[in-house]
Amino acid sequence: MKPSLSTRLSGDFESGVRSRGQGYYYQGRVRILRGTDSEVEARVRGTQSYDVSLEWEGGVLSAYCDCAYNDSSGPCKHLWATVLAADAQGFLSAAAAAYDLSLDDGEAGAGFELDYPDYEYGRRNRYAPSRVAAVPKPPPAPKQPAWQKQMAEIANPPARAVW
């Protein structure tokens, strides 16, 4: 079984950043505007809306977010939330399946090299990331109480077929 993109990239995000990004993902704050097997463009709602893009090309996953944290401190929670959303929707599969993967957040000289594949018994081990629990799907929306459902049906009766 091949690891997910979030599993492969987890070591490049600080645990607090991952936790906050996971919260954003669970709260439905990520809207993917465009996604393919090699790129994603998204908008993430935080204190304001942030534009996020991830593009896989030539063994490098280029990551961009227009928040101030990402400019100064490394990959941000908006990027992590987008990685989780991309995983859930099957985007960036080319990056997730890549033999070698490095994350570049766009800062000059910054490139987050992922150490795997590493060497084991003189052979390259294709997938050797640290074990990270799979990201569960967000909880389903709470069910509407019966009385609210009845009120909605009274306010908006179903259309009747005319023969």
Side-chain angles (χ1 to χ4, degrees):
M1 183 171 98
K2 295 179 184 176
S4 65
L5 186 61
S6 57
T7 299
R8 295 197 64 195
L9 294 177
S10 66
D12 289 301
F13 290 79
E14 294 178 4
S15 63
V17 169
R18 284 194 319 268
S19 178
R20 290 186 297 279
Q22 189 173 25
Y24 273 30
Y25 168 68
Y26 283 155
Q27 294 167 13
R29 294 177 177 230
V30 181
R31 189 178 78 187
I32 294 187
L33 306 172
R34 186 169 65 102
T36 68
D37 67 337
S38 60
E39 63 184 308
V40 164
E41 290 181 11
R43 183 152 297 132
V44 180
R45 284 181 293 115
T47 52
Q48 63 186 52
S49 286
Y50 298 102
D51 292 324
V52 176
S53 66
L54 295 161
E55 183 177 356
W56 170 251
E57 186 175 0
V60 175
L61 183 63
S62 299
Y64 169 80
C65 178
D66 62 356
C67 75
Y69 181 92
N70 193 62
D71 286 343
S72 62
S73 301
C76 65
K77 61 188 172 190
H78 311 109
L79 284 169
W80 185 249
T82 302
V83 166
L84 296 176
D87 257 356
Q89 295 181 42
F91 297 127
L92 295 172
S93 57
Y99 192 78
D100 289 311
L101 175 63
S102 66
L103 177 67
D104 180 0
D105 75 343
E107 286 190 44
F112 300 92
E113 288 293 327
L114 302 178
D115 292 335
Y116 46 84
D118 65 1
Y119 291 87
E120 181 176 323
Y121 304 109
R123 293 182 43 205
R124 289 188 94 165
N125 181 358
R126 184 169 181 177
Y127 298 108
S130 59
R131 294 281 180 209
V132 175
V135 177
K137 292 183 180 179
K143 287 188 175 181
Q144 186 179 30
W147 68 269
Q148 283 182 339
K149 189 174 181 180
Q150 288 174 340
M151 291 298 292
E153 289 172 359
I154 292 169
N156 300 310
R160 297 181 185 241
V162 178
W163 299 96

